[in-house]
Amino acid sequence: MKINQFKSTKTSNKKRKRVGRGSGSGLGKTAGRGVKGQKSRSGVSINGFEGGQMPLYRRLPKRGFKNHFKKKIQNVSFDKLNIIVTKYKIKEDSIKEVDLFNMKIFNKSKGKLKLLNVGKIEKPISLEISYASKEAIKSIEKAGGKINILEK
């Protein structure tokens, strides 16, 4: 197959209307906008205006809610912790949330850390973190590690 044998995949052969190109084109002079008035000018800001009738966006009820006081929390699993320990060569006996933020492993602006019981714990670890689930605390203590929760 050669490049001149390709067929166009274009579905419509309709050409764009060229307005304001003389009276012979059928869309000359006012270019289909009528005569005078706000809508004939450029920069019309009348979208949503319904001639004095209550506009649709005001007739419909407000929906949803955004809690501005919501706590930002990032989830940390045991799998993630194992990867961090091997990749960044952190000692298992002293993993602190502050150090994880300082090493830029986690972004401080996205919130504090919460340990979840996801995955398996390979070695006994000593951890200092803001939040932890009950099951995660149990599994760390079962493996022989310690956990210090900063906020209660």
Side-chain angles (χ1 to χ4, degrees):
M1 182 171 264
K2 295 181 183 121
I3 205 157
N4 65 335
Q5 293 174 327
F6 281 113
K7 286 190 177 177
S8 174
T9 56
K10 205 171 189 181
T11 53
S12 68
N13 295 335
K14 205 172 191 182
K15 287 195 173 181
R16 184 175 66 89
K17 278 186 185 177
R18 296 186 69 218
V19 292
R21 293 290 182 276
S23 58
S25 67
L27 285 170
K29 195 182 170 202
T30 54
R33 287 172 175 257
V35 186
K36 293 186 182 175
Q38 186 179 4
K39 288 184 179 177
S40 70
R41 322 255 187 243
S42 65
V44 174
S45 60
I46 208 166
N47 290 349
F49 182 71
E50 298 184 22
Q53 174 178 304
M54 188 61 69
L56 182 68
Y57 72 91
R58 286 184 63 194
R59 277 179 298 197
L60 297 175
K62 292 181 184 176
R63 284 187 51 93
F65 169 75
K66 187 167 187 176
N67 187 359
H68 297 289
F69 304 102
K70 182 175 78 173
K71 289 182 182 178
K72 291 181 179 178
I73 297 174
Q74 301 176 71
N75 296 331
V76 182
S77 64
F78 289 126
D79 294 333
K80 218 178 241 183
L81 270 180
N82 292 329
I83 291 167
I84 289 166
V85 167
T86 54
K87 187 176 179 182
Y88 296 97
K89 296 179 178 82
I90 301 172
K91 294 178 183 175
E92 293 94 17
D93 59 339
S94 61
I95 301 172
K96 294 183 180 179
E97 184 178 292
V98 180
D99 297 334
L100 296 175
F101 288 139
N102 290 341
M103 294 174 75
K104 296 188 178 168
I105 298 168
F106 290 98
N107 192 347
K108 194 171 187 176
S109 66
K110 289 186 180 175
K112 299 185 178 181
L113 302 180
K114 180 174 183 176
L115 182 68
L116 299 178
N117 189 30
V118 177
K120 292 184 180 177
I121 193 165
E122 293 176 355
K123 301 170 188 170
I125 57 171
S126 177
L127 189 64
E128 194 173 285
I129 200 162
S130 291
Y131 308 100
S133 67
K134 290 178 185 175
E135 294 295 320
I137 294 168
K138 283 180 187 175
S139 56
I140 280 184
E141 290 171 350
K142 190 176 178 183
K146 294 180 186 175
I147 185 160
N148 183 21
I149 296 166
L150 301 172
E151 295 186 22
K152 289 186 179 183

